[in-house]
Coordinates of all heavy atoms in Angstrom, one line a residue:
M789 N -36.3 -7.9 75.7 CA -36.9 -6.8 75.0 C -35.9 -6.3 74.0 O -34.7 -6.2 74.2 CB -37.2 -5.7 76.1 CG -38.0 -4.6 75.5 SD -38.4 -3.7 77.0 CE -40.0 -3.1 76.5
S790 N -36.4 -5.9 72.8 CA -35.5 -5.4 71.8 C -35.1 -3.9 71.9 O -36.0 -3.2 72.4 CB -36.0 -5.7 70.4 OG -37.2 -5.0 70.2
Q791 N -34.0 -3.6 71.5 CA -33.5 -2.2 71.5 C -34.1 -1.4 70.3 O -34.3 -2.0 69.2 CB -32.0 -2.1 71.4 CG -31.3 -2.8 72.5 CD -30.9 -1.9 73.6 OE1 -30.8 -0.7 73.4 NE2 -30.9 -2.4 74.8
P792 N -34.4 -0.2 70.4 CA -34.9 0.6 69.2 C -33.8 0.7 68.2 O -32.6 0.8 68.5 CB -35.3 2.0 69.8 CG -34.8 2.0 71.2 CD -34.4 0.6 71.6
M793 N -34.1 0.7 66.9 CA -33.1 0.7 65.8 C -32.6 2.1 65.7 O -33.4 3.1 65.7 CB -33.8 0.3 64.5 CG -32.8 0.0 63.4 SD -33.5 -0.4 61.8 CE -34.5 -1.9 62.2
S794 N -31.3 2.3 65.6 CA -30.7 3.6 65.5 C -31.0 4.2 64.1 O -31.3 3.4 63.2 CB -29.2 3.6 65.7 OG -28.6 3.0 64.6
S795 N -31.0 5.5 64.0 CA -31.3 6.1 62.7 C -30.2 5.7 61.6 O -30.5 5.6 60.5 CB -31.5 7.6 62.8 OG -30.3 8.2 63.2
D796 N -28.9 5.6 62.1 CA -27.9 5.2 61.2 C -28.1 3.8 60.6 O -28.0 3.5 59.4 CB -26.5 5.2 61.9 CG -26.0 6.6 62.1 OD1 -26.5 7.5 61.4 OD2 -25.0 6.7 62.8
R797 N -28.5 2.9 61.5 CA -28.8 1.5 61.1 C -30.0 1.5 60.2 O -30.0 0.8 59.1 CB -29.1 0.6 62.3 CG -29.3 -0.8 62.0 CD -29.4 -1.6 63.3 NE -30.0 -2.9 63.1 CZ -29.3 -4.0 62.9 NH1 -28.0 -3.9 62.9 NH2 -29.9 -5.1 62.7
R798 N -31.0 2.2 60.5 CA -32.3 2.3 59.6 C -31.9 2.8 58.2 O -32.3 2.3 57.2 CB -33.3 3.2 60.3 CG -34.7 3.0 59.8 CD -35.7 3.8 60.6 NE -35.7 3.5 62.0 CZ -35.6 4.4 63.0 NH1 -35.7 5.7 62.7 NH2 -35.6 4.1 64.2
R799 N -31.1 3.9 58.2 CA -30.6 4.5 56.9 C -29.8 3.5 56.1 O -30.0 3.3 54.9 CB -29.8 5.7 57.2 CG -29.7 6.7 56.0 CD -29.1 8.0 56.3 NE -29.6 8.6 57.6 CZ -28.7 9.1 58.5 NH1 -27.5 9.1 58.3 NH2 -29.2 9.6 59.6
F800 N -28.9 2.8 56.8 CA -28.1 1.8 56.1 C -29.0 0.7 55.5 O -28.8 0.3 54.3 CB -27.1 1.2 57.1 CG -26.3 0.0 56.6 CD1 -25.3 0.2 55.7 CD2 -26.6 -1.3 57.0 CE1 -24.5 -0.8 55.2 CE2 -25.9 -2.4 56.5 CZ -24.8 -2.1 55.6
L801 N -29.9 0.2 56.3 CA -30.8 -0.9 55.8 C -31.7 -0.4 54.7 O -31.9 -1.1 53.7 CB -31.7 -1.4 57.0 CG -30.9 -2.2 58.0 CD1 -31.8 -2.6 59.2 CD2 -30.3 -3.5 57.4
S802 N -32.2 0.8 54.7 CA -33.0 1.3 53.7 C -32.2 1.5 52.4 O -32.8 1.2 51.3 CB -33.7 2.6 54.0 OG -32.8 3.7 54.1
R803 N -30.9 1.8 52.5 CA -30.1 1.9 51.3 C -29.9 0.5 50.6 O -29.9 0.4 49.4 CB -28.8 2.5 51.6 CG -28.9 4.0 51.8 CD -27.5 4.7 52.0 NE -27.7 6.1 52.3 CZ -26.9 6.8 52.9 NH1 -25.8 6.3 53.4 NH2 -27.1 8.1 53.1
I804 N -29.8 -0.5 51.4 CA -29.6 -1.8 50.9 C -30.9 -2.2 50.2 O -30.9 -2.8 49.1 CB -29.3 -2.8 52.0 CG1 -27.9 -2.6 52.5 CG2 -29.5 -4.3 51.6 CD1 -27.5 -3.5 53.7
V805 N -32.0 -2.0 50.8 CA -33.3 -2.3 50.2 C -33.5 -1.6 48.9 O -33.9 -2.1 47.8 CB -34.5 -2.0 51.1 CG1 -35.8 -2.2 50.4 CG2 -34.4 -3.0 52.3
L806 N -33.2 -0.3 48.8 CA -33.3 0.5 47.6 C -32.4 0.0 46.5 O -32.7 0.0 45.4 CB -33.1 2.0 47.9 CG -34.2 2.7 48.6 CD1 -33.8 4.1 49.0 CD2 -35.5 2.7 47.9
G807 N -31.2 -0.3 46.9 CA -30.2 -0.8 46.0 C -30.6 -2.1 45.4 O -30.5 -2.3 44.1
A808 N -31.2 -3.0 46.2 CA -31.6 -4.3 45.7 C -32.8 -4.1 44.7 O -32.9 -4.8 43.7 CB -32.0 -5.2 46.8
A809 N -33.7 -3.1 45.0 CA -34.8 -2.8 44.2 C -34.4 -2.3 42.8 O -35.0 -2.5 41.8 CB -35.8 -1.9 44.9
A810 N -33.3 -1.5 42.8 CA -32.9 -0.9 41.6 C -32.1 -1.8 40.7 O -32.0 -1.6 39.5 CB -32.0 0.4 41.9
L811 N -31.6 -2.9 41.2 CA -30.7 -3.8 40.4 C -31.4 -4.3 39.2 O -30.8 -4.3 38.1 CB -30.3 -4.9 41.3 CG -29.0 -5.6 41.0 CD1 -27.8 -4.5 40.9 CD2 -28.6 -6.6 42.1
P812 N -32.6 -4.8 39.2 CA -33.3 -5.3 38.0 C -33.4 -4.2 36.9 O -33.2 -4.5 35.7 CB -34.7 -5.8 38.5 CG -34.5 -6.0 39.9 CD -33.5 -5.0 40.4
L813 N -33.6 -3.0 37.3 CA -33.7 -1.9 36.3 C -32.4 -1.7 35.7 O -32.3 -1.4 34.5 CB -34.2 -0.6 37.0 CG -35.6 -0.6 37.6 CD1 -35.8 0.7 38.4 CD2 -36.6 -0.8 36.5
L814 N -31.3 -1.7 36.4 CA -30.0 -1.5 35.8 C -29.6 -2.7 34.9 O -29.1 -2.5 33.8 CB -28.9 -1.5 36.9 CG -29.0 -0.2 37.8 CD1 -27.9 -0.3 39.0 CD2 -28.7 1.0 37.0
R815 N -30.0 -3.9 35.3 CA -29.8 -5.1 34.4 C -30.6 -4.9 33.1 O -30.1 -5.2 32.0 CB -30.2 -6.3 35.1 CG -29.2 -6.9 36.0 CD -29.4 -8.3 36.3 NE -28.8 -8.6 37.6 CZ -29.4 -9.0 38.7 NH1 -30.7 -9.2 38.7 NH2 -28.8 -9.2 39.8
M816 N -31.8 -4.4 33.2 CA -32.7 -4.3 32.0 C -32.1 -3.2 31.1 O -32.0 -3.4 29.9 CB -34.1 -3.9 32.4 CG -35.1 -3.9 31.3 SD -36.8 -3.7 31.9 CE -36.8 -1.9 31.9
T817 N -31.6 -2.1 31.6 CA -31.0 -1.1 30.8 C -29.8 -1.6 30.1 O -29.6 -1.3 28.9 CB -30.7 0.1 31.7 OG1 -31.8 0.6 32.3 CG2 -30.1 1.3 30.9
A818 N -28.9 -2.3 30.8 CA -27.7 -2.9 30.2 C -28.1 -3.9 29.1 O -27.5 -3.9 28.0 CB -26.9 -3.5 31.2
A819 N -29.1 -4.7 29.4 CA -29.6 -5.7 28.4 C -30.1 -5.0 27.2 O -29.9 -5.5 26.0 CB -30.6 -6.6 29.0
Q820 N -30.9 -3.9 27.3 CA -31.4 -3.2 26.2 C -30.3 -2.7 25.3 O -30.4 -2.8 24.1 CB -32.2 -2.0 26.6 CG -33.6 -2.3 27.0 CD -34.3 -1.1 27.5 OE1 -34.9 -1.1 28.5 NE2 -34.2 0.0 26.7
A821 N -29.3 -2.2 25.9 CA -28.2 -1.6 25.1 C -27.5 -2.7 24.3 O -26.9 -2.4 23.2 CB -27.2 -1.0 26.1
D822 N -27.6 -3.9 24.7 CA -26.9 -5.0 24.0 C -27.8 -5.6 22.9 O -27.3 -6.5 22.1 CB -26.5 -6.1 25.0 CG -25.5 -5.7 26.0 OD1 -24.8 -4.7 25.7 OD2 -25.4 -6.3 27.0
L823 N -29.0 -5.3 22.8 CA -29.9 -5.9 21.9 C -29.5 -5.5 20.5 O -29.2 -4.4 20.2 CB -31.4 -5.5 22.1 CG -32.1 -6.0 23.4 CD1 -33.5 -5.3 23.5 CD2 -32.2 -7.5 23.4
P824 N -29.6 -6.5 19.5 CA -29.3 -6.1 18.1 C -30.5 -5.3 17.6 O -31.6 -5.4 18.0 CB -29.3 -7.5 17.4 CG -30.0 -8.4 18.3 CD -29.8 -7.9 19.7
H825 N -30.1 -4.4 16.7 CA -31.2 -3.5 16.1 C -32.0 -4.2 15.1 O -31.5 -5.0 14.3 CB -30.5 -2.3 15.4 CG -29.7 -1.4 16.4 ND1 -29.0 -0.3 15.9 CD2 -29.6 -1.4 17.7 CE1 -28.5 0.3 17.0 NE2 -28.8 -0.4 18.1
L826 N -33.3 -4.0 15.2 CA -34.3 -4.6 14.3 C -34.1 -3.8 13.0 O -34.1 -2.6 12.9 CB -35.7 -4.4 14.8 CG -36.8 -5.0 13.9 CD1 -36.7 -6.5 13.9 CD2 -38.2 -4.6 14.5
T827 N -34.1 -4.6 11.9 CA -34.0 -4.0 10.5 C -35.3 -4.2 9.8 O -35.9 -5.2 10.0 CB -32.8 -4.5 9.7 OG1 -33.0 -5.9 9.6 CG2 -31.5 -4.3 10.4
P828 N -35.7 -3.3 8.9 CA -36.9 -3.5 8.2 C -37.0 -4.7 7.4 O -38.1 -5.2 7.0 CB -37.0 -2.2 7.3 CG -36.2 -1.2 8.0 CD -35.1 -2.0 8.7
D829 N -35.9 -5.3 7.0 CA -35.9 -6.5 6.2 C -36.0 -7.8 7.0 O -36.1 -8.9 6.5 CB -34.7 -6.6 5.2 CG -33.4 -6.6 5.9 OD1 -33.3 -6.1 7.1 OD2 -32.4 -7.0 5.4
D830 N -36.0 -7.7 8.3 CA -36.2 -8.8 9.2 C -37.7 -9.3 9.0 O -38.6 -8.5 8.8 CB -36.1 -8.3 10.7 CG -36.3 -9.4 11.7 OD1 -37.5 -9.9 11.8 OD2 -35.4 -9.8 12.4
P831 N -37.9 -10.7 8.8 CA -39.2 -11.2 8.5 C -40.3 -10.7 9.5 O -41.4 -10.4 9.1 CB -39.0 -12.7 8.6 CG -37.6 -12.9 8.3 CD -36.9 -11.7 8.9
A832 N -40.0 -10.6 10.8 CA -41.0 -10.2 11.8 C -41.3 -8.7 11.6 O -42.4 -8.2 11.7 CB -40.5 -10.4 13.2
A833 N -40.2 -7.9 11.2 CA -40.4 -6.5 11.0 C -41.3 -6.3 9.7 O -42.2 -5.4 9.7 CB -39.1 -5.8 10.8
K834 N -41.0 -7.1 8.7 CA -41.8 -7.0 7.5 C -43.3 -7.3 7.7 O -44.2 -6.6 7.2 CB -41.3 -8.0 6.4 CG -40.1 -7.5 5.7 CD -39.7 -8.5 4.6 CE -38.5 -8.0 3.8 NZ -38.0 -9.0 2.8
A835 N -43.5 -8.3 8.6 CA -44.9 -8.7 8.9 C -45.7 -7.6 9.5 O -46.9 -7.5 9.3 CB -44.9 -9.9 9.8
L836 N -45.0 -6.7 10.3 CA -45.7 -5.6 11.0 C -45.4 -4.3 10.3 O -45.7 -3.2 10.9 CB -45.4 -5.6 12.4 CG -46.0 -6.7 13.3 CD1 -45.5 -6.7 14.7 CD2 -47.5 -6.6 13.3
G837 N -44.7 -4.3 9.2 CA -44.5 -3.0 8.4 C -43.6 -2.1 9.2 O -43.7 -0.9 9.1
Y838 N -42.6 -2.7 10.0 CA -41.7 -1.8 10.8 C -40.8 -1.0 9.9 O -40.2 -1.5 8.9 CB -40.9 -2.7 11.7 CG -39.8 -1.9 12.4 CD1 -40.0 -1.0 13.5 CD2 -38.4 -2.0 12.0 CE1 -39.0 -0.3 14.1 CE2 -37.4 -1.3 12.6 CZ -37.7 -0.4 13.7 OH -36.7 0.3 14.3
T839 N -40.6 0.2 10.3 CA -39.5 1.1 9.7 C -38.8 1.8 10.9 O -39.5 2.1 11.9 CB -40.1 2.1 8.7 OG1 -39.0 3.0 8.3 CG2 -41.2 3.0 9.4
S840 N -37.6 2.1 10.7 CA -36.8 2.8 11.7 C -36.9 4.3 11.7 O -36.4 5.0 12.5 CB -35.3 2.3 11.7 OG -34.8 2.7 10.5
D841 N -37.6 4.8 10.6 CA -37.8 6.2 10.5 C -39.3 6.5 10.0 O -39.6 6.4 8.8 CB -36.8 6.8 9.5 CG -36.9 8.3 9.4 OD1 -37.8 8.9 10.0 OD2 -36.0 8.9 8.7
S842 N -40.1 6.8 11.0 CA -41.5 7.0 10.7 C -41.8 8.2 9.8 O -42.9 8.3 9.1 CB -42.3 7.1 12.0 OG -41.9 8.3 12.7
S843 N -40.8 9.1 9.7 CA -41.1 10.3 8.8 C -41.1 10.0 7.3 O -41.5 10.8 6.5 CB -40.0 11.4 9.1 OG -38.7 11.0 8.6
K844 N -40.6 8.8 7.0 CA -40.6 8.3 5.6 C -41.7 7.4 5.2 O -41.7 6.9 4.1 CB -39.2 7.6 5.3 CG -38.0 8.6 5.5 CD -36.7 7.8 5.2 CE -35.6 8.8 5.3 NZ -34.3 8.2 5.3
I845 N -42.7 7.3 6.1 CA -43.8 6.4 5.8 C -44.8 7.1 4.8 O -45.1 8.2 5.0 CB -44.6 6.0 7.1 CG1 -43.7 5.2 8.0 CG2 -45.9 5.3 6.8 CD1 -44.3 4.8 9.4
D846 N -45.2 6.3 3.8 CA -46.2 6.7 2.9 C -47.5 6.4 3.5 O -47.9 5.2 3.6 CB -45.9 6.0 1.5 CG -47.0 6.4 0.5 OD1 -47.9 7.2 0.8 OD2 -46.9 5.8 -0.6
P847 N -48.3 7.4 3.9 CA -49.6 7.1 4.5 C -50.6 6.3 3.6 O -51.4 5.5 4.1 CB -50.2 8.5 4.7 CG -49.1 9.4 4.6 CD -48.1 8.8 3.8
K848 N -50.4 6.3 2.3 CA -51.2 5.5 1.4 C -50.8 4.1 1.4 O -51.7 3.2 1.4 CB -51.0 6.0 -0.1 CG -51.7 7.4 -0.3 CD -51.5 7.9 -1.7 CE -52.0 9.3 -1.9 NZ -51.6 9.9 -3.0
A849 N -49.5 3.8 1.6 CA -49.1 2.4 1.7 C -49.3 1.8 3.1 O -49.4 0.6 3.3 CB -47.6 2.3 1.4
S850 N -49.4 2.7 4.2 CA -49.7 2.3 5.5 C -50.8 3.1 6.1 O -50.7 4.0 6.8 CB -48.4 2.5 6.4 OG -47.3 1.8 5.9
P851 N -52.1 2.7 5.7 CA -53.3 3.5 6.1 C -53.5 3.6 7.6 O -54.2 4.5 8.0 CB -54.4 2.8 5.4 CG -53.9 1.5 4.8 CD -52.4 1.6 4.9
T852 N -53.0 2.7 8.4 CA -53.2 2.8 9.8 C -52.2 3.7 10.5 O -52.4 4.0 11.7 CB -53.0 1.4 10.5 OG1 -51.7 0.9 10.2 CG2 -54.1 0.4 10.0
F853 N -51.2 4.2 9.7 CA -50.3 5.2 10.3 C -50.9 6.5 10.5 O -51.6 7.0 9.6 CB -49.0 5.3 9.4 CG -48.1 6.4 9.8 CD1 -47.3 6.2 10.9 CD2 -48.0 7.5 9.1 CE1 -46.4 7.2 11.3 CE2 -47.1 8.5 9.5 CZ -46.3 8.4 10.6
K854 N -50.7 7.1 11.7 CA -51.2 8.5 11.9 C -49.9 9.4 12.0 O -49.0 9.0 12.8 CB -52.0 8.6 13.2 CG -53.3 7.9 13.1 CD -54.2 8.1 14.3 CE -55.5 7.4 14.2 NZ -56.2 7.2 15.5
A855 N -49.9 10.5 11.3 CA -48.8 11.4 11.3 C -48.4 11.7 12.7 O -49.2 12.0 13.6 CB -49.1 12.6 10.5
G856 N -47.1 11.7 13.0 CA -46.6 12.0 14.3 C -46.4 10.9 15.2 O -45.8 11.0 16.3
S857 N -47.0 9.7 14.9 CA -46.8 8.6 15.8 C -45.5 7.9 15.5 O -45.0 7.8 14.4 CB -48.0 7.6 15.6 OG -48.1 7.1 14.3
H858 N -44.8 7.5 16.6 CA -43.5 6.8 16.4 C -43.3 6.0 17.7 O -44.0 6.2 18.7 CB -42.4 7.8 16.2 CG -42.3 8.9 17.2 ND1 -43.2 9.9 17.3 CD2 -41.4 9.1 18.2 CE1 -42.9 10.7 18.3 NE2 -41.8 10.2 18.9
C859 N -42.3 5.2 17.7 CA -42.0 4.2 18.8 C -41.9 4.9 20.2 O -42.4 4.4 21.1 CB -40.7 3.4 18.5 SG -40.9 2.3 17.1
A860 N -41.3 6.1 20.2 CA -41.2 6.7 21.6 C -42.5 7.0 22.2 O -42.6 7.1 23.4 CB -40.3 8.0 21.4
G861 N -43.6 7.1 21.4 CA -44.9 7.4 21.9 C -45.8 6.1 22.0 O -46.9 6.2 22.3
C862 N -45.1 5.0 21.9 CA -45.9 3.7 21.9 C -45.8 3.0 23.2 O -44.7 3.0 23.9 CB -45.3 2.8 20.8 SG -46.0 1.1 20.7
A863 N -46.9 2.5 23.7 CA -46.9 1.8 25.0 C -46.0 0.5 25.0 O -45.7 0.1 26.1 CB -48.4 1.4 25.3
L864 N -45.7 0.0 23.9 CA -44.8 -1.2 23.9 C -43.3 -0.9 23.9 O -42.5 -1.8 23.9 CB -45.1 -2.0 22.6 CG -46.6 -2.5 22.5 CD1 -46.8 -3.3 21.2 CD2 -46.9 -3.4 23.7
F865 N -43.0 0.4 23.9 CA -41.6 0.8 23.8 C -41.0 1.1 25.2 O -41.7 1.7 26.0 CB -41.5 2.1 23.0 CG -40.1 2.6 22.7 CD1 -39.2 1.9 21.9 CD2 -39.6 3.7 23.3 CE1 -37.9 2.3 21.6 CE2 -38.3 4.2 23.1 CZ -37.5 3.5 22.2
T866 N -39.8 0.5 25.4 CA -39.1 0.8 26.7 C -38.0 1.7 26.3 O -37.0 1.3 25.6 CB -38.6 -0.5 27.3 OG1 -39.7 -1.4 27.5 CG2 -37.9 -0.2 28.6
A867 N -38.1 3.0 26.7 CA -37.0 4.0 26.4 C -35.7 3.6 27.0 O -35.6 3.1 28.1 CB -37.5 5.3 26.9
P868 N -34.6 3.8 26.2 CA -33.3 3.5 26.7 C -32.8 4.5 27.6 O -33.3 5.7 27.6 CB -32.5 3.4 25.4 CG -33.2 4.4 24.5 CD -34.6 4.3 24.8
A869 N -31.8 4.2 28.4 CA -31.2 5.2 29.3 C -30.5 6.3 28.5 O -30.5 7.4 28.9 CB -30.2 4.5 30.2
S870 N -30.0 5.9 27.3 CA -29.4 6.9 26.4 C -29.4 6.3 25.0 O -29.6 5.1 24.9 CB -27.9 7.1 26.8 OG -27.2 6.0 26.7
G871 N -29.3 7.1 24.0 CA -29.4 6.6 22.7 C -30.8 6.5 22.1 O -31.7 6.9 22.8
D872 N -30.9 6.0 20.9 CA -32.1 6.0 20.2 C -32.8 4.7 20.1 O -33.9 4.6 19.6 CB -31.9 6.5 18.7 CG -31.4 8.0 18.6 OD1 -31.7 8.7 19.6 OD2 -30.9 8.3 17.6
W873 N -32.2 3.6 20.6 CA -32.7 2.3 20.4 C -33.2 1.7 21.8 O -32.5 1.7 22.7 CB -31.7 1.4 19.8 CG -31.3 1.8 18.4 CD1 -30.4 2.8 18.1 CD2 -31.9 1.4 17.2 NE1 -30.4 3.0 16.7 CE2 -31.3 2.1 16.1 CE3 -32.8 0.4 16.9 CZ2 -31.6 1.9 14.8 CZ3 -33.1 0.2 15.5 CH2 -32.5 0.9 14.5
G874 N -34.4 1.2 21.8 CA -35.0 0.6 23.0 C -35.7 -0.7 22.8 O -35.9 -1.0 21.6
A875 N -36.0 -1.3 23.8 CA -36.7 -2.6 23.7 C -38.2 -2.4 23.3 O -38.8 -1.3 23.5 CB -36.7 -3.4 25.0
C876 N -38.8 -3.4 22.6 CA -40.2 -3.3 22.2 C -40.9 -4.6 22.5 O -40.3 -5.7 22.2 CB -40.2 -3.0 20.7 SG -41.8 -3.3 19.9
G877 N -42.1 -4.5 23.0 CA -42.8 -5.7 23.4 C -43.2 -6.5 22.2 O -43.5 -7.7 22.3
A878 N -43.3 -5.9 21.0 CA -43.7 -6.7 19.8 C -42.5 -7.4 19.2 O -42.7 -8.4 18.4 CB -44.3 -5.7 18.8
F879 N -41.3 -7.1 19.5 CA -40.1 -7.7 18.9 C -39.1 -8.1 20.0 O -38.1 -7.4 20.2 CB -39.4 -6.7 17.9 CG -40.3 -6.3 16.7 CD1 -40.9 -5.0 16.7 CD2 -40.6 -7.1 15.7 CE1 -41.8 -4.6 15.7 CE2 -41.5 -6.8 14.7 CZ -42.0 -5.5 14.7
A880 N -39.4 -9.2 20.6 CA -38.5 -9.7 21.7 C -37.1 -9.9 21.2 O -36.9 -10.5 20.1 CB -39.1 -11.0 22.3
G881 N -36.1 -9.5 21.9 CA -34.7 -9.8 21.6 C -34.2 -8.8 20.6 O -33.0 -8.9 20.2
K882 N -34.9 -7.8 20.2 CA -34.4 -6.8 19.2 C -34.7 -5.4 19.8 O -35.7 -5.2 20.5 CB -35.1 -6.9 17.9 CG -34.8 -8.3 17.2 CD -33.4 -8.3 16.5 CE -33.1 -9.6 15.9 NZ -33.6 -9.9 14.6
A883 N -33.9 -4.4 19.4 CA -34.1 -3.0 19.8 C -34.7 -2.3 18.6 O -34.3 -2.6 17.4 CB -32.8 -2.4 20.2
V884 N -35.7 -1.4 18.8 CA -36.2 -0.6 17.7 C -35.9 0.8 18.0 O -35.6 1.3 19.1 CB -37.8 -0.8 17.7 CG1 -38.2 -2.2 17.5 CG2 -38.4 -0.3 19.0
N885 N -35.9 1.6 16.9 CA -35.5 3.0 16.9 C -36.6 3.8 17.5 O -37.8 3.6 17.1 CB -35.1 3.5 15.6 CG -34.4 4.9 15.6 OD1 -35.1 5.9 15.9 ND2 -33.1 4.9 15.5
K886 N -36.3 4.8 18.4 CA -37.4 5.6 19.0 C -38.2 6.4 17.9 O -39.3 6.8 18.2 CB -36.8 6.5 20.0 CG -35.9 7.7 19.5 CD -35.4 8.5 20.6 CE -34.6 9.7 20.0 NZ -34.0 10.5 21.1
N887 N -37.6 6.6 16.7 CA -38.3 7.3 15.7 C -39.0 6.3 14.7 O -39.6 6.8 13.7 CB -37.3 8.2 14.9 CG -36.7 9.2 15.8 OD1 -37.5 9.9 16.5 ND2 -35.4 9.3 15.8
G888 N -39.0 5.0 15.0 CA -39.6 4.0 14.1 C -41.1 3.9 14.3 O -41.7 4.7 15.1
W889 N -41.7 2.9 13.7 CA -43.1 2.7 13.7 C -43.4 1.3 13.1 O -42.7 0.9 12.3 CB -43.9 3.8 13.0 CG -45.4 3.6 13.0 CD1 -46.2 4.1 14.0 CD2 -46.2 2.9 12.1 NE1 -47.5 3.8 13.7 CE2 -47.5 3.0 12.6 CE3 -46.0 2.2 11.0 CZ2 -48.6 2.5 11.9 CZ3 -47.1 1.6 10.3 CH2 -48.4 1.8 10.8
C890 N -44.5 0.7 13.6 CA -45.0 -0.5 13.0 C -46.5 -0.6 13.2 O -47.1 0.2 14.0 CB -44.3 -1.8 13.5 SG -45.0 -2.4 15.1
M891 N -47.2 -1.5 12.6 CA -48.6 -1.6 12.7 C -49.1 -2.0 14.1 O -50.3 -1.9 14.3 CB -49.1 -2.7 11.6 CG -49.0 -2.2 10.2 SD -49.7 -3.3 9.0 CE -48.3 -4.3 8.6
A892 N -48.2 -2.5 14.9 CA -48.7 -2.8 16.3 C -48.7 -1.6 17.2 O -48.9 -1.7 18.4 CB -47.8 -3.9 16.9
Y893 N -48.4 -0.4 16.6 CA -48.4 0.8 17.4 C -49.6 1.0 18.3 O -50.7 0.8 17.9 CB -48.3 2.0 16.5 CG -48.3 3.4 17.2 CD1 -47.2 3.9 17.8 CD2 -49.5 4.1 17.4 CE1 -47.2 5.1 18.5 CE2 -49.5 5.3 18.0 CZ -48.4 5.8 18.6 OH -48.4 7.0 19.3
A894 N -49.3 1.3 19.6 CA -50.4 1.5 20.6 C -50.0 2.8 21.4 O -49.1 2.8 22.1 CB -50.5 0.3 21.5
A895 N -50.8 3.9 21.1 CA -50.4 5.1 21.8 C -50.4 5.0 23.3 O -51.3 4.3 23.9 CB -51.4 6.2 21.4
K896 N -49.5 5.6 23.9 CA -49.4 5.6 25.4 C -50.7 6.2 26.0 O -51.1 7.3 25.4 CB -48.2 6.3 25.9 CG -46.9 5.5 25.7 CD -45.7 6.3 26.3 CE -44.4 5.6 26.0 NZ -43.3 6.3 26.3
G897 N -51.3 5.6 27.0 CA -52.5 6.2 27.5 C -52.4 7.3 28.4 O -51.6 8.1 28.6
Ligands
SF4_1682 S1 -44.9 -1.9 18.7 FE1 -44.6 0.3 19.1 S2 -42.5 0.4 19.9 FE2 -42.7 -1.5 18.8 S3 -42.0 -1.2 16.7 FE3 -44.2 -1.0 16.8 S4 -44.6 1.2 17.1 FE4 -42.4 0.8 17.7

């Protein structure tokens, strides 16, 4: 017959499980910080009309742009733990500015 688990042992085991669950998030945050910044002259950025400062967008030149929309409000943006640059689902391997915008913008639901 097995002995009941002590509360100390249960607490210790739950900390290990929580720590293991948080590890991928820490790795992702560190990886994001290392991503090179996407520049508007990058061919992929040009194709989607990316800019790192949405306040400078000419609505006539970018008719799909809605005033006030920017990367931080986009469903494809992964906010960084700190700073202005985060990962974007549209530009793998590059970080975009939270104040940026591109034609792939999808408002968070
Ligand atoms: S897809 Fe969204 S987060 Fe990525 S650059 Fe475009 S607006 Fe910004």
Side-chain angles (χ1 to χ4, degrees):
M789 190 171 214
S790 65
Q791 298 269 332
M793 193 183 300
S794 76
S795 63
D796 284 346
R797 183 177 163 93
R798 200 174 303 131
R799 201 172 315 134
F800 174 74
L801 290 174
S802 69
R803 284 183 183 158
I804 288 176
V805 170
L806 288 174
L811 209 53
L813 294 175
L814 292 174
R815 278 198 203 117
M816 191 173 86
T817 302
Q820 275 179 229
D822 295 340
L823 292 175
H825 295 176
L826 182 69
T827 59
D829 59 337
D830 180 292
K834 280 185 179 174
L836 288 176
Y838 170 79
T839 176
S840 58
D841 185 354
S842 63
S843 70
K844 294 181 179 168
I845 292 176
D846 175 2
K848 289 179 185 163
S850 301
T852 58
F853 173 72
K854 288 186 182 162
S857 58
H858 56 287
C859 294
C862 178
L864 300 177
F865 185 71
T866 303
S870 63
D872 294 340
W873 297 82
C876 167
F879 299 104
K882 298 281 175 80
V884 299
N885 192 286
K886 69 180 182 183
N887 297 312
W889 182 86
C890 83
M891 288 185 269
Y893 176 82
K896 287 181 183 173

